[in-house]
């Protein structure tokens, strides 16, 4: 094999980069909280740019991937800026600029439904500081006190005289002023919002609906070549040999390259030419130690952790003595649930474009974490970060998958093999399906002790399965323990706490990590944890002759926000009145990513076992609603994603490799299968919660509980497509 072998340089480097300054207008700068930018000079930030033509450019650090963060953050800045929404546009600062400026834009990572909830304070202050400086510049020009001036819709007015000017006319002068101390800025009360809090059309809607919007996969650069790649089908395997010369005569093929220890890529003038040449290339693999692993092996490994004799790796929540309470109970109920591997299945497969020279490396990529992409580019390029840059592109879906940068590393290594030539790497759908960081596989055994009146006296939930942090961030584990496992089950707290009180409780985890890599998948561990708890409570309710809503209410007296969303759903669906003939209902609620959510599903199941979901009613309390229309869209989209996973989503392994290759074997919900969704947005204030992920978790358990009501059959394993739903 004479083709070159490329490997990344693995040493970390400090990040320093240069950046240009905006000319002819106002660039607003201010300090971020010390935790995010301890040494950031106050004159370097540039959240808001006001151009001489009165256009307002709001810079957005977080990634836009369909969730609406770009519009929501712009609304928050514009609200405090008091500009005209019709004049607002947006742009991304680059990760290189951010690191050069001591991370003045804060965290670029977009995941965990954190885009707005973790940056609302400092982006609003950016808008407010810009307003103060613009007003001061106008006051200086008029020779009047700034206190006599006000701003609205981009117009500054001197109240005593009625004199007026627009932002664009004073922007240059305002840019020369010293920014006020952010600590002196008083933000608006959300009850007074005029731009934020409103149902404004998203800034990216028009281009998307007309097809004009370009994504990373659409990028074109002068002289660009295209690449397709094939990694070893078995995780942990390597390339053994291949004969690149055998396909070099194919039309358009420029190069055949081994990428790292486990992949081979073809570079050609067109992507299809690269892909078909790669398909024709005979590659001999060293499949490594996992070549014989089957799905049954993985399942046995995971379920082995449910054995009571197996010690727990960690405890996530406990009070009292659950074991003693269950042992002394008048009655005991037990059930085992299982959740499979699942793929993110982004509509836009992984891709990145890179150009490398001995002096500079540039990457154009749809990424959820621009800074991680920059780090990957620097490592793979062998260049200092001062000579690297990443340009974020709009994402055609992320769902956590694009928080990883493995495809960035591949693209840079390929570009390094052809200096000066831009190379766009696109994964095939098959590559994307079989080389993911999958939703982790887990099982759970739940055991409840009941007193003579059917009340829960003790509850033990043993979770066994994969740790995401063990794969993607082992440094974030605590003494070998992954506390992210307990999402939605944790003690009271602001992120993902349990919504019920039990006299005696134990929730623990036995870690079992198969060779298939796990990663953050939209909703993360909240998804399966909500199924486990909500379906088991439903089991207890039916086993003890209690109404499922009434049972939950008894356990939620100390959890008023959880209860409020559940009650809202029950009231909207008419829980206390009979459903239409042949229609059956199921409930679920949880708290995750800082928000409280609940859902009720209405379903029917035919005599042949065919499921139809007729209606979903959902409620969300995210504290503050920046754009209610976006929240409704996110809730609806969450049910598309959550129901797709519940009905169809399953990744299986044979001979160490993923079996599914495309949407024929990994289907998603179709339009005709999607039920109507009624969304109740009920922000109670006082906190900031996420929207993009929590609702996914209530999709499956609400439907599963409704299926039981319809059939008398308890489904404890996904996907539903594999289950017999004919009436028991």
């Amino acid at each position: 094999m004479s083709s070159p072998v490329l490997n990344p340089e693995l040493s970390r480097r400090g990040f320093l980069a240069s950046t240009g300054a905006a000319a002819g207008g106002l660039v607003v700068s201010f300090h971020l909280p010390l935790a995010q930018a301890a040494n950031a000079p106050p004159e370097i930030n540039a959240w808001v740019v006001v151009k001489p033509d009165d256009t307002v450019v709001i810079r957005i650090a977080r990634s836009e991937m369909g969730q609406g963060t770009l519009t929501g953050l712009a609304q928050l800045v514009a609200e405090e800026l008091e500009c005209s929404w019709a004049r607002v546009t947006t742009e991304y600062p680059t990760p290189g600029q951010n690191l050069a400026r001591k991370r003045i834009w804060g965290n670029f990572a977009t995941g965990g439904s954190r885009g707005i909830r973790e940056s609302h304070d400092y982006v609003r202050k950016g808008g407010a500081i810009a307003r103060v400086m613009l007003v001061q510049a106008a006051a200086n020009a008029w020779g009047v006190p700034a206190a006599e001036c006000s701003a609205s819709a981009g117009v500054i007015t001197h109240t005593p005289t009625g004199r007026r000017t627009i932002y664009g006319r004073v922007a240059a002068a305002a840019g020369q002023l010293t920014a006020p101390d952010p600590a002196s800025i008083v933000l608006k009360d959300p009850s007074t919002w005029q731009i934020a809090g409103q149902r404004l059309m998203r800034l990216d809607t028009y281009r998307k609906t007309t097809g004009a919007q370009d994504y990373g996969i659409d990028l074109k650069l002068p002289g660009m070549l295209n690449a397709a790649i094939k990694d070893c089908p078995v995780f942990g395997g390597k390339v053994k040999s291949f004969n690149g010369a055998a396909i070099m005569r194919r039309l358009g093929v420029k190069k055949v390259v081994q990428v790292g220890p486990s992949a081979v890529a073809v570079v050609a003038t067109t992507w299809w030419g690269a892909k078909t040449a790669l398909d024709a290339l005979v590659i001999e693999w060293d499949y490594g130690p996992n070549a014989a692993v089957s799905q049954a092996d993985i399942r046995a490994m995971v379920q082995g952790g449910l054995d009571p004799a197996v010690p727990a790796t960690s405890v996530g929540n406990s009070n009292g003595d659950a074991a003693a309470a269950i042992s002394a109970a008048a009655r005991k109920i037990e059930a085992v649930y299982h959740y499979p591997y699942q793929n993110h299945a982004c509509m836009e497969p992984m891709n990145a474009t890179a150009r490398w020279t001995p002096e500079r490396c540039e990457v154009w990529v749809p990424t959820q974490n621009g800074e991680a992409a920059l780090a990957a580019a620097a490592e793979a390029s062998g260049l200092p970060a001062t000579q690297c840059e990443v340009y974020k592109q709009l994402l055609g879906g992320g769902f956590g998958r694009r928080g990883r940068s493995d495809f960035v590393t591949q693209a840079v290594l390929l570009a390094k093999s052809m200096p000066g030539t831009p190379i766009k790497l696109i994964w095939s759908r098959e590559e994307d399906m079989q080389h993911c960081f999958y939703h982790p596989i887990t099982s759970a055994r739940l055991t409840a002790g009941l007193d003579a009146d059917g009340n829960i006296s003790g509850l033990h939930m043993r979770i066994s399965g994969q740790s995401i942090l063990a794969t993607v961030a082992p440094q974030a584990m605590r003494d070998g323990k992954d506390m992210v496992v307990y999402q939605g089950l944790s003690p009271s707290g602001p992120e993902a706490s349990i919504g019920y009180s039990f006299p005696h409780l134990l929730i623990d985890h036995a870690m079992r990590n198969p060779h298939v890599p796990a990663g953050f998948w939209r909703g993360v561990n909240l998804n399966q944890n909500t199924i486990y708890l909500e379906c088991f409570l439903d089991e207890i309710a039916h086993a003890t002759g209690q109404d499922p809503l009434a049972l939950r209410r008894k356990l939620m007296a100390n959890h008023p926000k959880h209860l409020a969303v559940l009650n809202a759903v029950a009231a909207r669906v008419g829980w206390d009145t009979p459903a239409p003939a042949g229609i059956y209902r199921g409930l679920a609620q949880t708290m995750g990513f800082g928000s409280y959510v609940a859902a009720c599903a209405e379903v029917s199941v035919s005599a042949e076992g065919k499921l139809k979901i007729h209606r979903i009613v959902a409620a969300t309390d995210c504290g503050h609603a920046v754009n209610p229309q976006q929240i409704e869209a996110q809730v609806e989209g969450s049910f598309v994603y959550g129901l797709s996973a519940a009905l169809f989503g399953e990744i299986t392994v044979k001979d160490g490799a993923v079996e599914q290759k495309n949407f024929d074997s990994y289907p998603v919900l179709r339009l005709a299968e999607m039920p109507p969704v009624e969304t109740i947005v009920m922000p109670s204030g006082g906190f900031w919660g996420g929207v993009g992920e929590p609702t996914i978790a209530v999709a499956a358990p609400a439907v599963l509980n409704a299926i039981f009501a319809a059939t008398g059959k308890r489904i404890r394993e996904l996907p539903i497509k594999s289950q017999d739903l004919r009436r028991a």
Side-chain angles (χ1 to χ4, degrees):
M1 182 183 69
S2 59
S3 298
V5 178
L6 307 178
N7 285 289
E9 181 182 338
L10 297 178
S11 61
R12 294 268 177 191
R13 297 175 176 82
F15 286 98
L16 296 170
S18 62
T19 182
L26 167 66
V27 179
V28 176
S29 303
F30 63 99
H31 286 295
L32 288 180
L34 290 178
Q36 300 191 47
N39 301 314
E43 74 277 6
I44 308 173
N45 190 320
W47 282 96
V48 176
V49 176
V50 180
K51 295 183 177 180
D53 66 357
D54 220 33
T55 298
V56 175
V57 180
I58 297 176
R59 288 180 170 156
I60 306 297
R62 307 286 182 159
S63 296
E64 176 58 51
M65 48 189 164
Q67 83 280 33
T69 292
L70 180 143
T71 300
L73 288 173
Q75 283 181 260
L76 290 172
V77 174
E79 178 65 50
E80 296 291 344
L81 180 60
E82 292 282 8
C83 67
S84 168
W85 181 250
R87 305 294 297 171
V88 167
T89 186
T90 62
E91 67 181 21
Y92 290 137
T94 69
Q97 291 168 343
N98 191 44
L99 290 164
R101 298 182 179 191
K102 311 293 186 183
R103 301 189 77 229
I104 199 69
W105 281 283
N107 191 351
F108 270 44
T110 309
S113 297
R114 291 186 174 94
I116 287 176
R117 67 184 173 118
E118 288 194 354
S119 51
H120 64 88
D121 184 74
Y122 56 80
V123 301
R124 287 189 292 157
K125 285 184 177 178
I129 289 170
R131 183 192 72 244
V132 170
M133 295 171 72
L134 288 159
V135 169
Q136 185 64 61
N140 291 350
W142 293 330
V144 301
E148 294 181 355
C149 302
S150 63
S152 178
V155 177
I156 304 167
T157 302
H158 180 230
T159 304
T161 64
R163 187 180 298 179
R164 306 172 77 194
T165 191
I166 60 174
Y167 281 175
R169 292 176 186 161
V170 297
Q176 303 303 310
L177 300 176
T178 299
D181 184 351
S184 68
I185 298 298
V186 178
L187 298 174
K188 292 183 179 182
D189 188 298
S191 65
T192 68
W193 284 348
Q194 298 297 313
I195 297 175
Q198 308 306 309
R199 302 173 62 89
L200 301 182
M201 186 177 76
R202 286 172 49 157
L203 296 172
D204 55 348
T205 296
Y206 179 78
R207 290 181 59 81
K208 287 181 175 179
T209 54
T210 61
Q213 180 64 60
D214 285 335
Y215 295 83
I217 200 171
D218 302 311
L219 183 74
K220 293 180 175 64
L221 295 174
M224 185 178 75
L225 295 177
N226 296 271
I229 196 164
K230 186 178 291 185
D231 211 328
C232 182
V234 179
F235 296 104
K238 296 183 289 187
V239 174
K240 191 172 182 180
S241 67
F242 64 94
N243 182 10
I247 61 168
M248 284 301 297
R249 291 180 177 272
R250 295 178 70 97
L251 183 65
V253 172
K254 300 297 183 181
K255 200 162 194 177
V256 183
V257 185
Q258 181 173 336
V259 182
S262 65
V264 179
V266 174
V267 181
T269 53
T270 68
W271 183 80
W272 188 250
K275 193 257 186 201
T276 53
L278 184 60
D279 289 342
L281 180 66
V282 177
I283 305 172
E284 186 179 0
W285 304 104
D286 174 2
Y287 292 114
N290 301 311
V293 175
S294 69
Q295 188 65 28
D297 296 330
I298 294 174
R299 182 168 183 134
M301 177 185 184
V302 170
Q303 294 202 319
L306 299 180
D307 187 334
V310 173
T313 306
S314 64
V315 174
N317 196 352
S318 67
N319 59 263
D321 189 336
I326 292 169
S327 177
R331 182 182 178 188
K332 186 170 77 171
I333 296 178
E334 186 170 275
V336 174
Y337 286 79
H338 182 73
Y339 198 97
Y341 283 120
Q342 292 172 334
N343 193 295
H344 301 80
C346 304
M347 288 296 102
E348 179 193 25
M350 300 304 105
N351 67 88
T353 301
R355 178 167 54 204
W356 184 93
T357 69
E359 293 77 33
R360 185 162 177 78
C361 178
E362 297 172 288
V363 177
W364 294 259
V365 61
T367 175
Q368 290 179 241
N369 193 335
E371 292 174 295
L374 182 60
E379 289 181 357
S381 69
L383 295 172
T386 51
Q387 295 169 235
C388 299
E389 186 58 283
V390 169
Y391 308 103
K392 290 199 303 180
Q393 307 298 298
L394 209 62
L395 287 68
F399 314 126
R401 177 61 180 95
R402 284 190 161 96
R404 308 298 298 161
S405 298
D406 48 327
F407 47 97
V408 173
T409 296
Q410 292 176 339
V412 172
L413 292 175
L414 283 168
K416 194 174 179 181
S417 75
M418 301 184 73
T421 301
I423 297 180
K424 178 163 66 174
L425 171 67
I426 302 175
W427 284 19
S428 67
R429 177 60 62 191
E430 290 75 15
E431 190 73 10
D432 196 86
M433 194 67 70
Q434 295 187 300
H435 291 88
C436 188
F437 290 83
Y438 300 90
H439 187 294
I441 187 169
T442 69
S443 294
R445 183 187 301 277
L446 297 98
T447 308
L450 309 177
D451 65 20
D453 296 323
N455 298 310
I456 300 173
S457 56
L459 176 66
H460 178 203
M461 180 191 298
R462 162 61 67 87
I463 303 169
S464 176
Q466 202 155 8
S467 160
I468 295 173
L469 293 185
T471 298
V472 304
Q475 72 280 3
M477 299 178 72
R478 306 177 193 170
D479 300 321
K481 302 171 184 178
D482 180 356
M483 303 310 287
V484 179
V485 164
Y486 301 105
Q487 282 182 302
L489 303 172
S490 303
S492 295
E495 180 68 18
S497 62
I498 195 167
Y500 304 104
S501 296
F502 301 99
H504 300 274
L505 174 68
L506 173 61
I507 303 176
D508 55 13
H509 176 234
M511 190 182 299
R512 296 289 185 274
N513 292 323
H515 76 290
V516 178
F520 292 108
W521 187 101
R522 188 179 180 189
V524 199
N525 295 306
L526 189 69
N527 297 324
Q528 69 267 20
N529 290 346
T530 305
I531 292 174
Y532 300 156
L533 184 57
E534 289 299 304
C535 289
F536 189 60
L537 288 178
D538 204 70
E539 291 201 45
I540 294 172
H542 286 283
T544 57
Q546 300 182 68
D547 176 81
L549 176 59
L551 171 65
R552 286 175 171 82
R553 283 172 169 166
K554 285 196 302 183
L555 300 170
M556 299 175 77
N558 298 324
H559 307 272
K561 291 190 182 295
H562 291 81
L563 180 58
V565 290
L566 184 63
N567 282 339
V569 163
R572 174 69 66 85
V573 82
W575 183 267
D576 294 330
T577 61
I583 304 295
Y584 299 86
R585 294 171 175 152
L587 289 169
Q589 69 82 28
T590 194
M591 186 236 184
F593 306 95
S595 291
Y596 303 84
V597 297
C600 180
E602 293 186 330
V603 313
S604 64
V605 181
S606 71
E608 295 76 27
K610 184 176 181 180
L611 171 68
K612 180 176 177 60
I613 305 170
H614 294 267
R615 178 191 184 201
I616 299 283
V617 175
T620 295
D621 178 2
C622 53
H624 295 288
V626 174
N627 187 320
Q629 190 280 328
Q630 282 186 189
I631 295 173
E632 291 171 7
Q634 277 289 283
V635 170
E636 292 166 5
S638 293
F639 279 104
V640 176
Y641 206 70
L643 292 176
S644 291
L647 294 169
F648 309 117
E650 182 182 31
I651 290 293
T652 56
V653 173
K654 182 180 180 181
D655 297 329
V658 168
E659 292 187 277
Q660 291 70 27
K661 295 183 178 181
N662 211 312
F663 287 117
D664 59 335
S665 53
Y666 194 84
V668 296
L669 204 68
R670 295 175 180 269
L671 282 173
E673 297 164 326
M674 180 65 192
V677 176
E678 299 176 26
T679 303
I680 306 167
V681 181
M682 45 186 294
S684 60
F687 66 97
W688 291 76
V691 173
E693 295 180 82
T695 301
I696 294 172
V698 292
V703 169
L704 291 171
N705 289 337
I707 288 172
F708 177 82
T711 66
K713 298 184 78 168
R714 184 64 64 180
I715 306 301
R716 300 189 181 96
E717 181 172 346
L718 297 182
I720 295 172
K721 71 171 185 177
S722 302
Q723 312 303 320
D724 182 358
L725 300 187
R726 288 174 294 182
R727 182 175 292 275

